[in-house]
Amino acid sequence: MPAARAADWPSEGPLRGSYEPPAAAGTGLRWDGINFGAHLGVGGMNTDFGSSNSQQVAYDLRNTTVLNEQHPETWTTLPVSNTNGRSYGGFLGYSTQWDDVILGVDVAYNYVSGFDQTASDSISRQFSTSDGYQNQLTIDGQSRVKLKDYATFRGRAGYAFGQFMPYGFAGVAVGRFDYAITTRVRASGTDVGGGGGAPYNTDNTYTDAKNNAFSAGFTGGLGLDVAVTPNIFLRAEWEYIAFATINGIRNTFNTGRVGVGVRF
């Protein structure tokens, strides 16, 4: 038989049973399946106390000409306040993958510290009403709110570029708050229209407080997952939450965080 030479082997295609090196790191990664992990972040909470005294003012002046004509319950007694703090939490999610498109859902819990705000101020006005009275009204307000923790349920959509997977998300959030609202309403008036009405003078204080009050809201933001192994990834996110008002107190929340997760 003639001797075999190397050039006699096929020039294309691997030999049966031959070894092929694995794909380069960061390519061919799967992003589907169950994932969970932990994260920590820093953020800021914006609190608008402007309408927090409205209900108490409206109650004190109910059935009066002052309320019907001047609407002092709409006066902005208290300002907007901002504070910064930290968050710590974890997440659990599930993702599906179609080629490089990744869709998924996740739930997360965050314990927060430092998001405690207080505002106090006063507003005073003099005005005449149609009943002939010259009136003096002063509203003193003080409000406090504290975000204790919150949870989110989100839908996610991302696109994979090798070991990088940027994504956007949107969903709902539920926050747990403590709040306290105190309003002092001082009202006085004198009949200057000649109708013979008696002068009046009132001074009343109201307080409304509750611990563990829940407020739902909307959440949305952007993130990036980076695979460091086929099953372990790092995460960076920016999240915005707008909570519904709590007794006239409106809170919005921005946070940036980093985390680590496991996928299987």
Side-chain angles (χ1 to χ4, degrees):
M1 297 180 63
R5 300 178 181 274
D8 294 332
W9 293 106
S11 60
E12 297 181 358
L15 297 176
R16 182 171 11 178
S18 63
Y19 171 76
E20 289 187 88
T27 63
L29 289 171
R30 299 298 303 174
W31 293 92
D32 54 352
I34 298 173
N35 59 82
F36 66 92
H39 52 233
L40 57 89
V42 294
M45 186 169 74
N46 176 279
T47 301
D48 186 351
F49 290 105
S51 300
S52 59
N53 304 108
S54 296
Q55 294 183 17
Q56 294 169 343
V57 172
Y59 178 79
D60 183 82
L61 299 172
R62 64 195 183 279
N63 302 322
T64 65
T65 304
V66 170
L67 183 69
N68 293 335
E69 295 184 3
Q70 300 298 319
H71 300 287
E73 79 281 7
T74 64
W75 298 356
T76 302
T77 306
L78 297 179
V80 175
S81 180
N82 296 278
T83 189
N84 298 319
R86 298 180 177 87
S87 64
Y88 316 87
F91 60 89
L92 172 65
Y94 179 79
S95 298
T96 59
Q97 182 168 354
W98 287 270
D99 295 327
D100 293 324
V101 176
I102 293 88
L103 302 177
V105 295
D106 63 39
V107 293
Y109 169 79
N110 291 272
Y111 171 79
V112 300
S113 63
F115 298 102
D116 189 345
Q117 303 197 73
T118 302
S120 60
D121 208 339
S122 180
I123 187 170
S124 184
R125 295 287 186 271
Q126 291 184 351
F127 50 87
S128 298
T129 47
S130 60
D131 54 6
Y133 273 75
Q134 181 67 30
N135 305 274
Q136 171 81 30
L137 178 62
T138 300
I139 301 171
D140 304 315
Q142 180 174 350
S143 296
R144 174 182 176 269
V145 67
K146 178 182 180 180
L147 174 62
K148 303 171 73 172
D149 54 12
Y150 69 94
T152 59
F153 178 79
R154 316 179 309 181
R156 299 195 311 152
Y159 192 87
F161 298 91
Q163 69 185 100
F164 300 97
M165 199 271 286
Y167 59 89
F169 61 84
V172 295
V174 178
R176 187 164 61 113
F177 295 84
D178 294 342
Y179 72 86
I181 302 169
T182 300
T183 305
R184 181 184 180 188
V185 182
R186 292 174 285 169
S188 62
T190 304
D191 184 0
V192 296
Y200 71 91
N201 193 326
T202 62
D203 188 340
N204 299 308
T205 300
Y206 306 90
T207 297
D208 181 17
K210 185 176 182 179
N211 292 331
N212 300 321
F214 290 93
S215 175
F218 161 83
T219 179
L222 301 171
L224 175 68
D225 286 351
V226 181
V228 294
T229 74
N231 300 103
I232 299 176
F233 60 94
L234 302 178
R235 172 169 292 183
E237 278 190 348
W238 164 73
E239 183 176 56
Y240 171 81
I241 302 176
F243 291 105
T245 57
I246 305 175
N247 271 33
I249 303 174
R250 182 178 297 276
N251 300 285
T252 57
F253 185 73
N254 276 281
T255 185
R257 56 175 168 248
V258 295
V260 60
V262 177
R263 181 176 54 256
F264 61 92

